[in-house]
Amino acid sequence: MLLIVNCNLQNSKIENFNVNIKKSIRNSKIDYQIINANDLENLKNIDQYTHLIISGSKASALDNNIWDVNLKNIVHYFINEKKAVLGICYGHQFIIKSILGLNNVRTTQKPEIGLAKINIIQKDNILFHNMNDIYSFVFHYQEVFNLTKDFNVLAKNSNCNIHAYQYKSLPVWGVQFHPEFDSFSSKAILHEVKNLEVISEEAFINDLIKDEDMKQNSIIFENFLNVKP
């Protein structure tokens, strides 16, 4: 069974993630539960879950958030039990925070916002099986850096040196980009951001040429959920 932890703060963002993650895993036969990070203290029977996805968030991994202790405990449980973990954006950073602390998470020199090309360094990795280089929605002000030898860097681009990693040989991955959003959803978010937030135009990226290039991103979830407990 898949546990999905939604770390978003606003109701509209919570719902937007829920809708898109459900689309991303709709071809999988795995049962799942989505829980808000603020409600983790009410989570029961954690041993029933075989897979964990941690969402992005407008919250900063550099801050202490009210769910930190509960979510760290869940991350460590999954790692110790060798169960599958996938962190997305904030979740990608939170896994590093849980394992290494804050010495390997930092504010980026320049935010990365838009539709970016991600270069897969290790295409033979399970997470990227049957995939080409990725075009994905990105929106982050923090990043992970200088990871220890326990981490294998799997993807990068010119803006971010660690867009994906795997921890040891365990089924534990983080991706800085957002594979759960398709081109339509991504463009809707960008339109909203440009209208509501004051962000320098220099931060925006648009590497996408064809919308179809984002369709393969759902393979990441298929590969992840195919990992056997």
Side-chain angles (χ1 to χ4, degrees), residues 95-108:
I95 293 171
I96 298 302
K97 178 180 178 179
S98 298
I99 298 172
L100 300 178
L102 287 176
N103 290 331
N104 299 87
V105 183
R106 68 184 177 190
T107 300
T108 58

Side-chain angles (χ1 to χ4, degrees), residues 56-148:
S57 178
K58 201 169 183 178
S60 170
L62 295 171
D63 295 335
N64 290 320
N65 297 293
I66 62 174
W67 57 71
D68 274 16
V69 173
N70 289 323
L71 188 51
K72 279 184 182 179
N73 288 339
I74 291 171
V75 169
H76 283 291
Y77 166 79
F78 271 79
I79 291 174
N80 291 337
E81 295 295 321
K82 297 181 172 59
K83 294 184 176 184
V85 182
L86 176 63
I88 299 172
C89 197
Y90 170 86
H92 159 95
Q93 298 158 18
F94 191 88
I95 293 171
I96 298 302
K97 178 180 178 179
S98 298
I99 298 172
L100 300 178
L102 287 176
N103 290 331
N104 299 87
V105 183
R106 68 184 177 190
T107 300
T108 58
Q109 290 187 345
K110 185 179 77 171
E112 188 181 33
I113 303 169
L115 299 166
K117 182 178 180 180
I118 315 295
N119 301 310
I120 303 176
I121 301 171
Q122 296 194 21
K123 294 186 178 180
D124 59 343
N125 189 269
I126 295 171
L127 194 67
F128 299 127
H129 180 63
N130 286 333
M131 293 188 68
N132 299 311
D133 284 344
I134 295 164
Y135 289 87
S136 181
F137 177 60
V138 292
F139 196 140
H140 64 105
Y141 294 91
Q142 284 86 39
E143 64 182 1
V144 302
F145 71 107
N146 287 349
L147 299 183
T148 65

Side-chain angles (χ1 to χ4, degrees), residues 2-226:
L2 167 64
L3 174 63
I4 302 170
V5 179
N6 189 332
C7 301
N8 285 284
L9 302 174
Q10 299 171 309
N11 288 337
S12 60
K13 300 293 190 299
I14 291 170
E15 181 59 26
N16 195 17
F17 173 78
N18 287 349
V19 167
N20 284 282
I21 196 68
K22 288 176 183 178
K23 288 181 182 178
S24 297
I25 64 174
R26 65 181 179 271
N27 292 327
S28 172
K29 296 180 180 179
I30 194 168
D31 292 329
Y32 64 88
Q33 178 184 0
I34 302 176
I35 186 169
N36 190 277
N38 289 327
D39 297 326
L40 287 175
E41 61 184 16
N42 299 317
L43 183 66
K44 307 296 183 184
N45 301 323
I46 191 172
D47 57 322
Q48 69 181 306
Y49 301 104
T50 58
H51 295 70
L52 169 66
I53 293 176
I54 306 172
S55 80
S57 178
K58 201 169 183 178
S60 170
L62 295 171
D63 295 335
N64 290 320
N65 297 293
I66 62 174
W67 57 71
D68 274 16
V69 173
N70 289 323
L71 188 51
K72 279 184 182 179
N73 288 339
I74 291 171
V75 169
H76 283 291
Y77 166 79
F78 271 79
I79 291 174
N80 291 337
E81 295 295 321
K82 297 181 172 59
K83 294 184 176 184
V85 182
L86 176 63
I88 299 172
C89 197
Y90 170 86
H92 159 95
Q93 298 158 18
F94 191 88
I95 293 171
I96 298 302
K97 178 180 178 179
S98 298
I99 298 172
L100 300 178
L102 287 176
N103 290 331
N104 299 87
V105 183
R106 68 184 177 190
T107 300
T108 58
Q109 290 187 345
K110 185 179 77 171
E112 188 181 33
I113 303 169
L115 299 166
K117 182 178 180 180
I118 315 295
N119 301 310
I120 303 176
I121 301 171
Q122 296 194 21
K123 294 186 178 180
D124 59 343
N125 189 269
I126 295 171
L127 194 67
F128 299 127
H129 180 63
N130 286 333
M131 293 188 68
N132 299 311
D133 284 344
I134 295 164
Y135 289 87
S136 181
F137 177 60
V138 292
F139 196 140
H140 64 105
Y141 294 91
Q142 284 86 39
E143 64 182 1
V144 302
F145 71 107
N146 287 349
L147 299 183
T148 65
K149 293 180 180 179
D150 285 335
F151 292 86
N152 188 13
V153 177
L154 306 177
K156 62 184 288 188
N157 67 3
S158 59
N159 302 297
C160 180
N161 287 328
I162 306 175
H163 252 295
Y165 61 74
Q166 182 177 11
Y167 180 48
K168 297 183 177 179
S169 58
L170 297 172
V172 177
W173 294 274
V175 294
Q176 183 60 70
F177 55 94
H178 284 272
E180 74 273 25
F181 293 120
D182 60 18
S183 60
F184 178 82
S185 300
S186 301
K187 289 175 182 179
I189 295 170
L190 289 170
H191 179 75
E192 180 182 356
V193 168
K194 288 181 178 180
N195 285 337
L196 297 180
E197 299 188 32
V198 179
I199 300 174
S200 169
E201 281 294 326
E202 294 180 356
F204 289 97
I205 301 164
N206 187 10
D207 296 331
L208 186 67
I209 298 174
K210 298 180 297 182
D211 287 352
E212 305 89 75
D213 289 336
M214 292 182 69
K215 290 183 178 179
Q216 70 160 351
N217 293 352
S218 62
I219 297 174
I220 291 173
F221 296 101
E222 293 175 16
N223 290 338
F224 173 70
L225 294 174
N226 281 334

